[in-house]
Amino acid sequence: MSDDLQSLADSVVAQAGPGEGLEVYVTRGTDTEVRAYEGEVESLTSADSSGVGIRVLLRGGEDSGSQVGFAWAGSLDPAVIAATLADARDNARFATPDPDVVLAEPDGVHAVELDLWDDGVTSTPIEKKVALAVELERATRGADPRVRQVSSADYSDSRVEVALATTTGISSFRRRTNAFLSVDAIVGEGADTQTGAGFTVARGPGGLVPDEAMDDAVLRATRMIGAQKARSAHCTVVFDPRVVSTLLSVVASALSGEAVVKGRSFFAGRIGESVAASSITLVDDPTDARAYGAASHDGEGLACRRNVLISDGFLRMFVFDTVSARRAGAVSTGSAVRGGFAGTPSAGCRALVLSPGNKGQSDILAAVGDGLFVQSVTGVHSGVNPVSGDFSVGAEGLMIERGALGQPVREVTVASTLQRMLQSVVEIGADLRWLPGLAAGQTLAIADMALSGD
Amino acid sequence: MPDTALIEPDVLERVLSSALAGGGDMAEVFAEDAVTAGAMLDDRKIEELSSGRSRGAGIRVVDGETTGFAHTADLSEAGLLAAARAAAAVARQGDGGVRTVALEPLAAHGRGDRTPPDRVDKGRKLELLTRADDAARSAGGAIGQVMVGCGDSRRRVLIANSEGLFAQDDQIRTRFNVTCVANGDTGMQTGYESLARTEGYEIFERHRVEDLARVAATRALTKLSARPAPSGEVPIVLAGGSGGILFHEACGHGLEADHIVKNASVYTGRVGEAVASPLVTLVDDGTVLGEWGNFAVDDEGHEPARNVLIENGVLTDYMWDWLRARKEGRTSSGNGRRQSYQHLPMVRMTNTYLLAGQEDPDEIIAQTPSGVYVKKLGGGQVNTATGDFVFGTTEAYLIENGRITEPLRDANLIGNGPEVLRRIDAVATDFDMTPGTCGKDGQSVPVGCGQATLRITGVTLGGTA
């Protein structure tokens, strides 16, 4: 299966003209999605898809550098690939020649072998996948008398293979599978309605833990019953691991070397400085197979590697792809990411992990004493600015009263700046959870945040 | 690109018949041929031109409450038949027999004179980028970085179903956006402005990219001296055309029939009730020519309509796609949309707007002793079941003694839909629309939002001060 994808990429690269640089990214995948509702299949989707993305580099005049053009297509049909190559060539003619625009070259770093493939995604019959979603819906409806509705229970899985080849001698192949099971519960008591979402994720259906999804959804919804607005105050905020994963994803955009060289990161110029509490060590490690974003190769075909970005609160490095590294006078950290075949590489994190502390969540709540526990946030894309660092999100959760969870709280916001939040981390949980997305998460306590309510 | 049908009618009829051979109530073919192009100027360089093509079909078979769906990039009869078999696998009755499908003649939709993007010289597109870059940089020495993007798409769609429906559309969209970063003593601030229309490059005859660039640059520069936004409940005046995202989040999503039929919206069962201030008349209207959420037929082949959702504060109707309308024994309101042929359609908004009121916008500000004036909103998010929603400010000022004073840093506002809609106590005449991208269940579609200047007596602002 892999050989033909790899040779397809190689065969397109072989069509490069004299002095022309080519990078060919080809991918093929299969997706299955089941949605259950009221004991039946509401929808069942199954589909194969494939695509190609081609970057062409044309040498400009003496020392002026190269021009780059990009084109993509949702097909691996030979005629479509030929048309895509022609489009990319034409697009390249219009780009500004740039000495920093080059393709990645093999850098001698060997890729870590990762087993991210579970044959169960292919071998599990569709009836079993359907049963996972239907059973999760049924169980969630019966889990608590206050469950009024399960608006969706979804099973989905995917397998993806990617081959990448370049005229600079890169030829890489990677593949992975994922399986995902999630449920949205709506609970109520009287006129009060609350919602909770839960999920479980694994490389294949056999690794899923449906009870985890159900318990999470039901607990998150039921403990919010009776929620009210809170009084505005400055207080310590304890974030749930799922929220911390989201927060780290935002911090990640400011750690992108590309954002730094283009003057769009509040971390620019601060290497070696203290940017966080001394307890903070933040690592991007796609070579850890437990991470959802684990990968053997990056989006330019270089080996992924473990990068320590912040240690003991000091900023150590940024993540770079090939072009942003040249602009910064650095080398690629194997951190090119791309949004599938329709996207071009850029510098980014894949598998952030904050070094865990030694307290569980209840110990952290006890240590904090009084404050707000936040179980979910909204408006991250509208209220968090990774350039300025301004941070303001909608939040729901429970007040922390005398070291334990108390009155549920809704329709409030928590605000600060990312810079101040990193410096104000007072507790890091031991409860590290591997979560979908580009960061793992654990309970985190941050002092002196603005809670807005009444 | 030849203007022939993506799939011949006789092929469609055979594929639809085959899809129902094993049973099922309805089969549908949605074919799409999309060509997109984009260009980006960043750090004074034309970094990259990109172009993409996506062509394929999604086939849906509905059997009772169950939908089977499969998609393929292979538009040959063999490819379509294979997808039809995959989609039909969910149909379990097995008593389909031979169903003859006869398609209605294809209706033609005139869309006026448009300049399709593929007929515009790439050099001309790049000239727009450099003009915007120059204008943004000349707005002030503190502008440190400018990113300008433009993009266009031509999306041809064809929809045929076993009920005989046969429709197609040719959608041309063009967008242009400018992001500026300003550097000051207290750090960096950003400003963003965009133009997006369901039209071709003729939009640049009416809109000057320099104007967009100056707005984005000024927005970033103004915020350099901004103070932290207040924290707590405050009166809010939203500027006309500031985003209109308020209604999109506060009630738009909650009025989508897929949430309604599952009793997952605070607006379920409330038609005929007062759900907003009497000043609120809210419309969703896919027919507004050129607006970002405009089309000739939706992604299920139905014509869009001007649907009144709330009239003088009273809830009048929800938005419907084919599937949810069938459940209630009514017809689609033209709100069945999907991101691409690889997605199932669902209920989506088009152009959602509040009808203008009677008041003078300046008077509304003058009659607000203290509060916050929001000139521009960013995105938002809602929980339809509880009605709680957030929306972010990207340009806001304090109102003191009826006058706009100091600029404020970005923050989110949070409220509960039905509560906030009741607190609208003034609506002005200065109506304007803005484009946006709406995400739901992993699918993005272009939408328009509109409103005139209005006041909400109290919303919680998530600042730090």
Side-chain angles (χ1 to χ4, degrees):
Chain A
M1 199 85 181
S2 65
D3 289 350
D4 65 318
L5 206 56
Q6 186 74 66
S7 42
L8 177 62
D10 291 338
S11 72
V12 181
V13 165
Q15 296 171 36
E20 183 181 68
L22 277 189
E23 178 200 69
V24 179
Y25 178 104
V26 287
T27 178
R28 186 167 48 204
T30 303
D31 294 282
T32 303
E33 280 176 41
V34 185
R35 172 161 289 186
Y37 183 63
E38 292 183 341
E40 304 282 332
V41 175
E42 179 180 322
S43 63
L44 170 62
T45 301
S46 56
D48 301 324
S49 54
S50 55
V52 58
I54 301 177
R55 283 201 296 158
V56 170
L57 267 70
L58 300 177
R59 288 294 299 168
E62 283 290 301
D63 298 331
S64 62
S66 290
Q67 298 169 287
V68 62
F70 178 67
W72 60 267
S75 165
L76 294 179
D77 180 86
V80 173
I81 292 179
T84 306
L85 177 57
D87 281 349
R89 280 179 172 145
D90 189 56
N91 284 338
R93 297 190 299 119
F94 295 90
T96 308
D98 185 338
D100 292 325
V101 168
V102 295
L103 295 174
E105 294 190 16
D107 62 359
V109 179
H110 290 287
V112 175
E113 288 229 6
L114 293 171
D115 183 12
L116 307 174
W117 188 266
D118 184 335
D119 280 325
V121 165
T122 314
S123 62
T124 305
I126 187 70
E127 293 75 22
K128 256 189 123 166
K129 297 178 181 180
V130 167
L132 278 169
V134 170
E135 175 54 24
L136 175 60
E137 196 228 3
R138 193 199 58 77
T140 305
R141 282 188 190 274
D144 189 293
R146 293 167 294 180
V147 175
R148 282 184 178 159
Q149 176 65 298
V150 174
S151 50
S152 65
D154 297 341
Y155 169 88
S156 66
D157 64 35
S158 64
R159 52 195 170 105
V160 188
E161 299 174 290
V162 178
L164 187 145
T166 67
T167 46
T168 50
I170 283 183
S171 182
S172 75
F173 175 79
R174 61 192 163 94
R175 60 177 201 165
R176 66 172 167 77
T177 56
N178 282 312
F180 199 78
L181 189 62
S182 65
V183 65
D184 290 321
I186 302 178
V187 306
E189 226 171 52
D192 195 352
T193 298
Q194 301 294 338
T195 61
F199 58 81
T200 166
V201 60
R203 293 283 163 211
L208 297 172
V209 188
D211 282 357
E212 214 172 82
M214 178 187 74
D215 292 345
D216 224 8
V218 173
L219 171 70
R220 283 165 181 268
T222 51
R223 72 180 172 189
M224 288 301 296
I225 289 174
Q228 296 171 355
K229 252 173 136 163
R231 298 284 284 277
S232 298
H234 280 256
C235 64
T236 298
V237 177
V238 177
F239 292 99
D240 176 86
R242 270 158 63 173
V243 181
V244 172
S245 167
T246 304
L247 300 185
L248 291 178
S249 309
V250 180
V251 172
S253 36
L255 289 164
S256 154
E258 190 165 324
V260 171
V261 293
K262 287 180 176 162
R264 285 195 283 266
S265 165
F266 60 81
F267 284 130
R270 302 204 56 198
I271 292 284
E273 291 182 25
S274 163
V275 297
S278 61
S279 56
I280 297 282
T281 293
L282 184 64
V283 177
D284 184 42
D285 187 8
T287 69
D288 187 331
R290 293 174 296 176
Y292 182 84
S296 56
H297 296 85
D298 80 347
E300 293 181 301
L302 295 177
C304 285
R305 53 209 81 174
R306 180 175 188 271
N307 291 309
V308 180
L309 308 176
I310 298 173
S311 66
D312 304 323
F314 288 90
L315 182 62
R316 303 297 179 187
M317 64 180 288
F318 300 114
V319 292
F320 290 107
D321 64 343
T322 300
V323 174
S324 65
R326 279 177 69 98
R327 291 197 168 128
V331 293
S332 170
T333 57
S335 305
V337 293
R338 55 201 297 167
F341 60 84
T344 53
S346 61
C349 300
R350 287 175 184 275
L352 284 173
V353 181
L354 195 57
S355 295
N358 49 24
K359 283 187 191 141
Q361 190 174 88
S362 51
D363 288 343
I364 288 180
L365 296 174
V368 165
D370 292 291
L372 175 70
F373 170 78
V374 171
Q375 72 171 15
S376 72
V377 294
T378 54
V380 173
H381 65 299
S382 59
V384 186
N385 186 326
V387 179
S388 67
D390 286 337
F391 181 97
S392 167
V393 295
E396 67 169 33
L398 301 103
M399 294 309 297
I400 306 168
E401 295 156 2
R402 295 180 301 281
L405 294 178
Q407 168 66 36
V409 170
R410 53 167 276 273
E411 207 190 325
V412 298
T413 62
V414 291
S416 180
T417 64
L418 289 169
Q419 296 94 317
R420 197 179 311 143
M421 287 165 70
L422 285 168
Q423 295 282 8
S424 308
V425 171
V426 288
E427 299 284 356
I428 303 176
D431 51 343
L432 185 70
R433 254 189 94 183
W434 300 99
L435 293 164
L438 55 84
Q442 65 270 76
T443 303
L444 201 68
I446 298 178
D448 196 30
M449 293 195 68
L451 160 65
S452 295
D454 286 328
Chain B
M1 193 186 301
D3 276 346
T4 53
L6 289 169
I7 305 171
E8 290 305 317
D10 58 322
V11 174
L12 288 167
E13 288 175 353
R14 288 195 291 273
V15 170
L16 290 169
S17 296
S18 159
L20 294 177
D25 306 328
M26 192 278 271
E28 173 193 73
V29 176
F30 173 88
E32 178 183 54
D33 185 329
V35 180
T36 63
M40 170 74 75
L41 181 150
D42 194 2
D43 202 14
R44 297 181 193 267
K45 298 183 190 101
I46 302 294
E47 278 214 326
E48 187 177 275
L49 269 74
S50 66
S51 43
R53 51 184 77 207
S54 167
R55 185 179 160 93
I59 296 183
R60 162 163 80 136
V61 174
V62 178
D63 181 13
E65 299 294 311
T66 298
T67 298
F69 183 65
H71 57 81
T72 176
D74 179 0
L75 292 187
S76 72
E77 184 162 355
L80 294 167
L81 286 170
R85 275 192 299 278
V90 293
R92 287 153 305 172
Q93 285 100 324
D95 57 355
V98 179
R99 291 261 284 274
T100 310
V101 173
L103 298 175
E104 306 271 346
L106 200 53
H109 293 281
R111 299 297 293 275
D113 287 334
R114 299 177 299 176
T115 311
D118 54 350
R119 285 191 213 139
V120 179
D121 177 60
K122 288 178 183 173
R124 223 187 100 199
K125 297 184 187 178
L126 300 184
E127 187 200 316
L128 294 170
L129 299 183
T130 45
R131 275 170 47 198
D133 186 48
D134 289 345
R137 288 182 185 277
S138 61
I143 294 295
Q145 197 54 272
V146 179
M147 188 159 51
V148 191
C150 77
D152 51 63
S153 66
R154 181 175 184 190
R155 179 184 189 238
R156 290 196 305 148
V157 298
L158 177 155
I159 306 102
N161 72 26
S162 58
E163 297 175 342
L165 180 147
F166 188 26
Q168 66 179 0
D169 195 8
D170 185 350
Q171 299 164 356
I172 290 175
R173 289 195 164 89
T174 307
R175 63 172 175 82
F176 194 92
N177 51 272
V178 185
T179 309
C180 296
V181 180
N183 301 316
D185 300 337
T186 54
M188 291 177 279
Q189 287 292 340
T190 56
Y192 174 84
E193 182 67 7
S194 69
L195 166 70
R197 302 276 302 169
T198 305
E199 292 183 76
Y201 268 76
E202 66 277 6
I203 64 170
F204 296 109
E205 291 157 18
R206 303 195 308 274
H207 299 271
R208 285 170 46 83
V209 295
E210 286 85 352
D211 296 339
L212 292 171
R214 272 189 288 270
V215 169
T218 307
R219 197 160 277 152
L221 291 167
T222 304
K223 280 192 285 190
L224 285 181
S225 56
R227 49 179 277 184
S231 161
E233 201 167 293
V234 287
I236 298 281
V237 178
L238 289 184
S242 59
I245 190 87
L246 168 72
F247 294 97
H248 183 98
E249 305 296 352
C251 61
H253 280 296
L255 299 177
E256 294 165 343
D258 45 355
H259 299 302
I260 298 298
V261 298
K262 285 190 172 180
N263 196 11
S265 164
V266 279
Y267 298 100
T268 302
R270 300 187 62 184
V271 168
E273 286 181 29
V275 295
S277 144
L279 299 173
V280 172
T281 293
L282 186 72
V283 174
D284 181 86
D285 186 354
T287 70
V288 194
L289 279 183
E291 286 303 339
W292 197 225
N294 169 234
F295 42 77
V297 294
D298 74 2
D299 298 327
E300 299 181 302
H302 298 112
E303 288 184 12
R306 181 182 186 277
N307 296 303
V308 178
L309 306 173
I310 297 174
E311 193 165 16
N312 301 323
V314 176
L315 180 59
T316 50
D317 200 359
Y318 307 116
M319 289 167 276
W320 303 86
D321 64 358
W322 178 88
L323 191 70
R324 281 76 187 191
R326 181 185 71 143
K327 212 175 159 86
E328 301 293 314
R330 49 177 295 161
T331 54
S332 164
S333 58
N335 289 91
R337 305 181 68 188
R338 55 181 123 201
Q339 181 176 312
S340 80
Y341 76 87
Q342 302 189 347
H343 298 88
L344 271 171
M346 59 180 152
V347 188
R348 302 302 295 261
M349 283 176 259
T350 62
N351 303 296
T352 313
Y353 52 88
L354 178 81
L355 296 193
Q358 308 285 327
E359 298 192 45
D360 177 347
D362 295 333
E363 268 305 298
I364 293 178
I365 297 162
Q367 288 167 12
T368 305
S370 81
V372 167
Y373 178 66
V374 179
K375 185 92 179 285
K376 188 75 182 173
L377 287 165
Q381 193 179 343
V382 65
N383 179 335
T384 57
T386 64
D388 285 353
F389 70 103
V390 293
F391 53 119
T393 69
T394 60
E395 184 180 354
Y397 303 83
L398 272 185
I399 301 175
E400 294 172 295
N401 302 317
R403 290 180 45 220
I404 293 168
T405 59
E406 286 182 82
L408 299 173
R409 295 179 74 152
D410 294 351
N412 259 322
L413 290 140
I414 190 161
N416 181 267
E419 270 172 47
V420 166
L421 294 185
R422 274 191 288 269
R423 292 182 183 178
I424 294 171
D425 74 341
V427 179
T429 53
D430 58 340
F431 178 85
D432 202 5
M433 297 281 302
T434 42
T437 300
C438 170
K440 176 178 172 183
D441 229 356
Q443 293 192 44
S444 295
V445 295
V447 296
C449 291
Q451 124 249 322
T453 295
L454 62 88
R455 181 172 58 205
I456 309 166
T457 54
V459 189
T460 297
L461 177 59
T464 56

